[in-house]
């Protein structure tokens, strides 16, 4: 069985999904979870893109020790310098440098001829090699690149010191047979190709990212790049959990394996979904809520007699547990602490007290607390920025009648510690609340997206709201969870504004 290395780019390419805006604490929590998940390489960000991204990559590199941490760089010395500085304390740092190689990119974006592109690629790999033992070089838009030129530039960057060659389907254009043939051609026509790992990076614009990744592996790729839940620019990337489970289930057909801890899939997927606000579709392979649901009577009968009749993946394989109702009103601190350790959280004493208090408040309203409920509490506690000045909800009241215009009164504590109250109206209850908040908040805000989901099932399920906002011209996201939908909506809005304040303070 050949090991296929997993290169996770959730924190870099995944964060480039429209509307996604992760703060440093969320990135750190995701990085620690990806380490538990067992990825081989973690692309922590693009250090040269902003001070915030630089600091996040730097912090991740200092904390994560069992995964090789990498930063992305254009073929520019200043980008490589930023990666060097951000990753200097990493246990196993590596550089990921890229340059476009397709005719359309070279002519219109780079405005360079092929020989100039080769010279730049070689120079930047040699420069990066001074600071990094491992250098991954990517041929941006490789799938639309002339194969002879691709083979020529790859040979030269390997001679310059590259240790990984990545051939991305940057725009999700290619088909599996074409993509596999490209890898086969490179294996057969680059004389020094045996000195490096071959990597694939596929986008899902035509729904082919996973199939293309498998085709690449069939033809010599030893590393697969992708994201959790398949998030990413435009239609997203190859879904790493789908790839890993496909190899596991079809190990009768494929002589490959990964080092991913498959029963961490559910928790990793849930964390990515919660932090990004990108809800996993119910019919999503491996992690969708319907992945193990059977409505057809014939299917139900078969599953009851033998699960393998219609279930090729057991829920337990990916960390889905059918019975997770474990804590309630009478559960004590010890049981709570033991449970959160089972869930993989390691909280300092102050955070543990805060989480237990939130748990007890929830049990006053909810008879049984599920793993999903605890997950919501714990992720909110771990990524809380309450140590900085912020807006805090004190109280709100909504008046609504089917024949009356809704009105809302909200009381807040401002970042200056002033108590402020105001009232406004709107077409609906949420709009009335948000109009009132806009009157109180001094920053200029504008709501661009609102999403409402439930955590768990039943009438006492928690409501979770995700919003996208512009705050003083900067795009941020916010989230809030509560048993009351309106309270979750207010908390999400304030969370977004407070994140903007936190990010502004960090710059």
């Amino acid at each position: 069985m050949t090991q296929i290395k997993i290169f996770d780019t959730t924190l870099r390419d995944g964060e480039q999904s429209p509307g996604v805006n992760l703060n440093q604490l969320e990135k750190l929590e995701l990085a620690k979870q990806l380490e538990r998940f067992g990825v081989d390489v973690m692309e922590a960000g693009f250090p040269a893109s902003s001070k915030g991204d630089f600091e996040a990559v730097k912090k991740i590199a200092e904390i994560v020790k069992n995964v090789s941490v990498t930063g992305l760089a254009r073929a520019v010395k200043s980008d490589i310098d930023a990666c060097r500085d951000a990753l200097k304390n990493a246990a196993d740092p590596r550089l990921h440098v890229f340059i476009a190689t397709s005719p359309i990119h070279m002519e219109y974006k780079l405005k360079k001829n092929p020989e100039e592109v080769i010279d730049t690629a070689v120079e930047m790999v040699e420069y990066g090699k001074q600071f990094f033992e491992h250098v991954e070089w990517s041929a941006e838009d490789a799938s639309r690149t002339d194969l002879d030129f691709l083979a020529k530039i790859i040979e030269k960057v390997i001679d310059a010191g590259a240790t990984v060659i990545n051939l991305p389907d940057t725009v999700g254009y290619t088909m599996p047979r074409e993509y596999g043939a490209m890898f086969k051609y490179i294996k057969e026509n680059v004389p020094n190709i045996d000195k490096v790992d071959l990597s694939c990076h596929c986008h899902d614009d035509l729904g082919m990212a996973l199939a293309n990744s498998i085709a690449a592996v069939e033809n010599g790729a030893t590393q697969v790049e992708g994201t959790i839940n398949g998030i990413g620019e435009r239609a997203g990337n190859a879904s790493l959990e789908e790839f890993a489970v496909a190899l596991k289930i079809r190990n009768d057909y494929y002589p490959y394996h990964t080092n991913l801890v498959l029963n961490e899939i559910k928790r990793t997927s849930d964390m990515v979904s919660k932090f990004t606000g990108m809800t996993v579709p119910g019919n999503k392979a491996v992690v969708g809520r319907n992945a193990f649901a059977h409505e057809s009577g014939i299917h139900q009968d078969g599953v009851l007699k033998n699960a393998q009749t219609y279930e090729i993946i057991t829920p337990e394989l990916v960390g889905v547990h059918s019975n997770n109702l474990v804590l309630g009103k009478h559960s004590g601190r010890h049981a709570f602490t033991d449970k959160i350790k089972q869930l993989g959280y390691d909280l300092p004493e102050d955070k543990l007290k805060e989480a237990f208090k939130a748990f007890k408040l929830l049990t006053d309203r909810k008879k049984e607390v599920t793993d999903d409920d605890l997950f919501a509490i714990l992720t909110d506690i771990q990524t809380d920025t309450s140590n900085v000045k912020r807006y805090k909800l004190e109280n709100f009241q909504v008046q609504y009648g089917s024949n009356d215009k809704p009105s809302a009164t909200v009381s807040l504590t401002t970042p200056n510690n002033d108590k402020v109250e105001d009232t406004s109206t709107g077409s609906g209850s949420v709009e009335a609340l948000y109009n009132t908040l806009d009157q109180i908040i001094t920053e200029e805000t504008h709501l661009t997206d609102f999403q409402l989901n439930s955590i768990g099932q039943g009438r006492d399920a928690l409501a979770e709201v995700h919003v996208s906002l512009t705050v003083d011209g900067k795009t941020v996201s916010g989230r809030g969870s509560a048993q009351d939908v309106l309270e979750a909506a207010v908390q999400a809005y304030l969370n977004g504004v407070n994140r903007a304040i936190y990010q502004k303070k960090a710059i």
Side-chain angles (χ1 to χ4, degrees), residues 40 44 67 85 227 229 267:
D40 299 288
V67 176
D85 295 341
T227 60
N229 297 340
R267 178 164 47 193

Side-chain angles (χ1 to χ4, degrees), residues 78-115:
S78 58
D79 278 23
I80 295 172
D81 290 343
C83 287
R84 175 200 63 202
D85 295 341
L87 297 167
K88 63 183 178 182
N89 295 321
D92 184 17
R94 67 177 60 206
L95 173 68
H96 181 195
V97 60
F98 72 95
I99 193 169
T101 55
S102 66
I104 190 169
H105 276 247
M106 289 191 291
E107 179 180 355
Y108 292 101
K109 189 177 79 170
L110 299 180
K111 302 188 185 304
K112 292 179 181 285
N113 63 45
E115 289 304 316

Side-chain angles (χ1 to χ4, degrees), residues 333 345-354 381-382:
R333 171 78 175 263
Y345 285 87
D346 183 17
L347 301 182
E349 185 61 26
D350 60 330
K351 295 281 188 182
L352 183 60
K353 287 180 180 178
E354 193 178 343
I381 294 293
Q382 281 286 68

Side-chain angles (χ1 to χ4, degrees), residues 6-39:
I6 296 297
F7 178 113
D8 180 274
T9 184
T10 303
L11 295 172
R12 200 277 302 170
D13 205 330
E15 202 203 6
Q16 292 175 206
S17 304
V20 173
N21 182 268
L22 301 175
N23 64 31
Q24 187 179 119
L25 290 174
E26 289 166 337
K27 283 192 171 186
L28 286 174
E29 284 305 306
L30 280 175
K32 287 187 282 188
Q33 179 57 33
L34 290 169
E35 185 177 28
R36 285 191 288 265
F37 187 34
V39 303

Side-chain angles (χ1 to χ4, degrees), residues 152-386:
K152 183 179 179 181
I153 192 171
I154 288 172
E155 181 179 358
K156 290 184 179 295
V157 295
I158 293 173
D159 286 340
T163 55
V164 180
I165 299 297
N166 180 38
L167 305 179
D169 182 28
T170 304
V171 294
Y173 173 77
T174 196
M175 295 289 120
R177 185 177 294 179
E178 292 176 300
Y179 197 58
M182 177 179 67
F183 278 83
K184 186 173 188 291
Y185 182 89
I186 295 304
K187 289 281 287 184
E188 293 175 349
N189 290 276
V190 176
N192 53 1
I193 198 67
D194 60 316
K195 296 180 180 179
V196 300
D197 276 316
L198 259 180
S199 184
C200 63
H201 179 118
C202 299
H203 281 263
D204 210 32
D205 297 72
L206 296 177
M208 296 291 168
L210 178 61
N212 283 336
S213 299
I214 291 174
V217 169
E218 290 175 333
N219 287 276
T222 51
Q223 176 176 281
V224 169
E225 304 187 9
T227 60
I228 305 303
N229 297 340
I231 67 172
E233 288 188 282
R234 305 183 314 278
N237 291 258
S239 172
L240 290 177
E241 68 276 5
E242 291 179 16
F243 175 79
V245 170
L247 292 192
K248 172 69 176 178
I249 297 301
R250 294 310 312 273
N251 59 14
D252 62 317
Y253 186 78
Y254 285 118
Y256 312 115
H257 74 97
T258 73
N259 284 335
L260 293 181
V261 182
L262 299 187
N263 62 11
E264 289 287 341
I265 285 176
K266 176 67 163 57
R267 178 164 47 193
T268 311
S269 170
D270 286 350
M271 187 176 287
V272 169
S273 176
K274 183 174 180 62
F275 286 171
T276 62
M278 299 184 72
T279 304
V280 176
N283 65 333
K284 164 80 165 61
V286 177
V287 292
R289 66 178 179 273
N290 295 339
F292 307 103
H294 303 278
E295 187 165 327
S296 162
I298 296 173
H299 286 206
Q300 290 173 346
D301 180 64
V303 169
L304 289 171
K305 290 174 179 175
N306 185 326
Q308 292 183 1
T309 53
Y310 288 101
E311 265 186 12
I312 61 169
I313 309 168
T314 64
E316 291 76 18
L317 176 69
V318 298
V320 175
H321 303 289
S322 57
N323 181 15
N324 62 5
L325 301 175
V326 292
L327 297 178
K329 187 172 185 178
H330 300 292
S331 298
R333 171 78 175 263
H334 180 77
F336 177 78
T337 303
D338 185 61
K339 183 59 184 177
I340 66 172
K341 286 181 179 178
Q342 290 178 30
L343 291 174
Y345 285 87
D346 183 17
L347 301 182
E349 185 61 26
D350 60 330
K351 295 281 188 182
L352 183 60
K353 287 180 180 178
E354 193 178 343
F356 186 65
K357 181 180 177 181
F359 160 71
K360 280 298 188 181
L361 287 173
L362 182 58
T363 59
D364 287 338
R365 305 177 183 177
K366 202 171 189 288
K367 183 178 179 181
E368 295 173 317
V369 178
T370 68
D371 285 0
D372 288 339
D373 296 328
L374 291 175
F375 179 82
I377 290 172
L378 294 168
T379 49
D380 285 343
I381 294 293
Q382 281 286 68
T383 57
D384 183 32
T385 57
S386 57

